[in-house]
Amino acid sequence: MFGPHSSAMTARRGVSGALLLVAVAASMATLCSAQMPTSIVSGYTVCNNMVECDIAGGGTTLDVAAMTADAKTAGNATATFKTQGTKFSGMLTVDCLTTDPWTDGVSLTVEIRDGASQVVLPTVITIKGVLSLGSSILVINGTYDFNAVFIALTSFGLEAQSTLVVTGMQFGHTTMPQSVLKSTQPLSIANSSRLELSYTSHTFTSLTLGSAWAWYQLDSASSLDISTDSSVAIIGNSNTLSSVTAPSCSIALINVGGQPMTITEGASLVIDGNSQTLGSVTASTGPLSVTELTQTATTNVTSGGSVQVTGTKVTLLSVTAGGPLTLTPIDTLGLHLDNATVTASRNAYSLSIVTAASLAQTYLRATDINATNGAMVKVEGNSFTRSQLTVSPSQSSIAFVGSSGSIRVSDAARLHISGNTVTEGSGASTAFTNLRFLVAGVLDQAAGGMVGVDRNSVVFSTTPETLFT
């Protein structure tokens, strides 16, 4: 096996600046799987257009600007870096931030396939800067255990038909990490680009944490903007928690904190077909929340944008919360729609042997909801089933749509609450005190706006103390 500086391989530049690469008696894959330096500042010229590149160990940094410049010199439209197999154990940095890499008109392809970590890493991949010109990063079919963040995003964005896809991954956690994708700065997906996290599985077994724990698939600590036919898709992922204890727990598929989320110009946020299973989970002194989309600022959906939270399956078995238990697919500070669609449908919640200080179940919860200009809000076909639930009767409530402020539906907009079911199974310890299809401080229908409530059903095996308030 040749090293990157072997005498059997020489690289030199002629007067014209063209790169001549001479390799003797070795395949390109063999050359690329040679021992690599821990910090690559040159040497990616060996790998930047190869089909396969195995890295032994971690600590690799890709200088994307230099890669694209070399690819242009070689006459290639794309600079490519790929790994395959368990030799890639992580700590890869993709640096698009230090120098603008897109001035040469060359795109980037990074692919990590079938990787596996041999040690527990805090962060496996770091991506710095904006991907552009149809560039792509694909992480597929690996097996990892990390104790902080799988992919850390720094000043990250996607534009001009670029993609970041993490799919088919298996995560078995021996610690309690923070998130799969995490950005501490504004996150922008624009111009027909796509961010996808799909068909990953996370298993948390026999874990104890002495402080509050929050787990998110995608965590943007600032803002999330999706625009111009772009999409963010969280599809087919599963979280399984068994024998997990922490003072308090917050579990969500997407968390956006601090700044508004904007989805506009035909863009979409799709959260579909995910599952969250909690068995023998204890939030010993504080709250426990299980949500799909959590936003602590306003969610703005405009100009043909859409938000879809559908087909989620949430199962709680032998779960205890010392504080409130909150279950909701969509939880946002404010929800403002203009010629746009928000859908919460076919989400199923099943609770058995659950004890909590209080219970709040809402399929769509916002401080205020303002739908206008033909916007559509659909809360349809969701289900909630419980048995052997112990909660103080005065602290148990369900609302299909809930707002502590106002709900305004105007200018041919529509709010439709239909086909949702609530079922109390046998052995329930306490009945629902409050079960309401729609809760609002103020409900305002104007200029052809319409609120429709139909075909919802409530089934109790025992007589509830108070059904509607």
Side-chain angles (χ1 to χ4, degrees):
M1 181 178 293
F2 299 111
H5 305 294
S6 168
S7 60
M9 179 175 61
T10 60
R12 67 181 185 272
R13 295 184 183 272
V15 174
S16 65
L19 176 67
L20 300 178
L21 180 65
V22 181
V24 181
S27 70
M28 296 177 76
T30 301
L31 286 171
C32 196
S33 60
Q35 293 294 318
M36 303 290 288
T38 57
S39 180
I40 297 181
V41 290
S42 61
Y44 50 77
T45 51
V46 176
C47 292
N48 72 352
N49 286 291
M50 287 193 171
V51 174
E52 181 181 80
C53 183
D54 290 341
I55 302 299
T60 301
T61 298
L62 302 182
D63 181 343
V64 178
M67 289 176 64
T68 55
D70 281 356
K72 181 182 179 181
T73 299
N76 298 312
T78 302
T80 303
F81 179 87
K82 297 187 179 183
T83 72
Q84 185 170 1
T86 57
K87 289 183 180 180
F88 177 76
S89 61
M91 298 298 288
L92 174 70
T93 297
V94 181
D95 187 358
C96 306
L97 186 61
T98 305
T99 305
D100 183 1
W102 314 118
T103 56
D104 291 320
V106 175
S107 64
L108 171 73
T109 294
V110 173
E111 181 178 309
I112 299 172
R113 183 179 294 271
D114 302 323
S117 61
Q118 299 166 5
V119 295
V120 180
L121 301 168
T123 299
V124 178
I125 300 169
T126 299
I127 306 173
K128 300 179 179 180
V130 175
L131 295 183
S132 190
L133 303 181
S135 297
S136 65
I137 295 179
L138 171 65
V139 185
I140 183 170
N141 296 345
T143 304
Y144 286 91
D145 180 356
F146 60 93
N147 60 19
V149 179
F150 183 62
I151 298 181
L153 305 173
T154 300
S155 301
F156 179 77
L158 297 170
E159 63 180 26
Q161 302 179 13
S162 297
T163 59
L164 169 60
V165 176
V166 179
T167 187
M169 307 294 291
Q170 305 285 324
F171 298 97
H173 297 287
T174 57
T175 59
M176 298 171 80
Q178 303 167 13
S179 56
V180 181
L181 303 175
K182 183 177 179 64
S183 174
T184 57
Q185 292 132 344
L187 185 57
S188 174
I189 316 299
N191 300 316
S192 301
S193 297
R194 182 175 178 85
L195 172 62
E196 178 181 325
L197 177 58
S198 61
Y199 307 106
T200 69
S201 67
H202 297 265
T203 303
F204 304 87
T205 304
S206 301
L207 301 176
T208 300
L209 193 67
S211 57
W213 179 55
W215 163 250
Y216 309 121
Q217 300 278 64
L218 170 60
D219 184 14
S220 177
S222 180
S223 62
L224 174 60
D225 293 331
I226 315 170
S227 63
T228 321
D229 301 317
S230 298
S231 61
V232 171
I234 311 295
I235 301 172
N237 303 284
S238 67
N239 294 326
T240 302
L241 287 73
S242 178
S243 300
V244 173
T245 300
S248 64
C249 295
S250 176
I251 301 165
L253 297 179
I254 294 183
N255 177 68
V256 181
Q259 299 295 325
M261 176 167 65
T262 301
I263 302 165
T264 188
E265 297 176 349
S268 62
L269 171 60
V270 178
I271 304 174
D272 181 67
N274 301 283
S275 67
Q276 308 213 60
T277 303
L278 283 66
S280 300
V281 173
T282 300
S284 55
T285 58
L288 170 62
S289 66
V290 182
T291 60
E292 315 317 309
L293 171 60
T294 300
Q295 161 65 306
T296 59
T298 301
T299 299
N300 300 302
V301 192
T302 64
S303 304
S306 64
V307 174
Q308 172 186 331
V309 181
T310 55
T312 303
K313 183 178 181 181
V314 177
T315 304
L316 276 64
L317 174 63
S318 298
V319 171
T320 300
L325 172 60
T326 303
L327 306 170
T328 180
I330 301 176
D331 190 356
T332 179
L333 182 65
L335 180 60
H336 299 166
L337 293 85
D338 185 335
N339 184 28
T341 303
V342 169
T343 302
S345 69
R346 297 181 290 103
N347 300 293
Y349 291 78
S350 176
L351 281 66
S352 182
I353 316 176
V354 173
T355 301
S358 63
L359 169 67
Q361 164 76 35
T362 311
Y363 295 122
L364 171 59
R365 183 170 71 172
T367 302
D368 67 275
I369 299 173
N370 187 357
T372 188
N373 192 22
M376 174 71 78
V377 179
K378 298 186 287 186
V379 179
E380 301 172 339
N382 301 287
S383 65
F384 179 66
T385 304
R386 68 162 202 176
S387 63
Q388 300 185 57
L389 175 67
T390 303
V391 178
S392 171
S394 63
Q395 299 296 322
S396 178
S397 67
I398 289 183
F400 295 158
V401 175
S403 172
S404 58
S406 64
I407 297 178
R408 179 178 173 82
V409 184
S410 63
D411 298 314
R414 186 177 182 186
L415 168 60
H416 192 212
I417 304 170
S418 177
N420 303 288
T421 62
V422 176
T423 303
E424 181 193 38
S426 61
S429 301
T430 58
F432 296 117
T433 294
N434 300 316
L435 196 159
R436 296 167 286 185
F437 296 148
L438 178 64
V439 177
V442 176
L443 177 61
D444 183 6
Q445 298 179 80
M450 185 174 67
V451 176
V453 181
D454 60 79
R455 299 193 305 275
N456 300 287
S457 66
V458 180
V459 179
F460 290 95
S461 60
T462 60
T463 303
E465 295 182 8
T466 303
L467 184 57
F468 299 100
T469 61

